[in-house]
Amino acid sequence: MQTSGLVITLSSDSAEAAKAFTAVSARPEFIFGERNDRWLPVVMETSADVESRELHDWIQALPGVEFVDVAYVNFDEVTNEH
């Protein structure tokens, strides 16, 4: 599992920012922190690096998103220890 801490910079256009927030909040991979003006902290949990990159690119391409900063990445190996 890969856990990433992101900071999404939303558009200054509140209608566009709201659309972007709605799109991102519909995805189960994201857990949200408290929004501060245009900045939205998000934790993203994915199963692999490829999925993480695809979601990052998807967020970045949304209308209403100006930038996505990656603040933290943790790679946890899944083990089958008993």
Side-chain angles (χ1 to χ4, degrees):
M1 173 178 288
Q2 183 172 331
T3 304
S4 302
L6 310 175
V7 178
I8 300 172
T9 302
L10 298 168
S11 172
S12 57
D13 179 316
S14 60
E16 287 294 313
K19 289 178 190 175
F21 178 78
T22 299
V24 175
S25 65
R27 301 290 300 251
E29 299 93 345
F30 303 113
I31 301 168
F32 297 93
E34 186 174 330
R35 183 174 168 179
N36 183 0
D37 192 24
R38 294 175 44 211
W39 296 274
L40 177 64
V42 177
V43 173
M44 177 174 67
E45 293 184 345
T46 58
S47 59
D49 190 45
V50 171
E51 182 184 5
S52 181
R53 289 180 194 187
E54 288 172 354
L55 281 173
H56 177 279
D57 292 347
W58 174 78
I59 296 168
Q60 183 66 57
L62 287 172
V65 171
E66 290 189 3
F67 199 76
V68 179
D69 288 297
V70 178
Y72 172 82
V73 178
N74 181 44
F75 301 92
D76 278 337
E77 293 289 326
V78 177
T79 61
N80 293 326
E81 295 180 20
H82 298 281

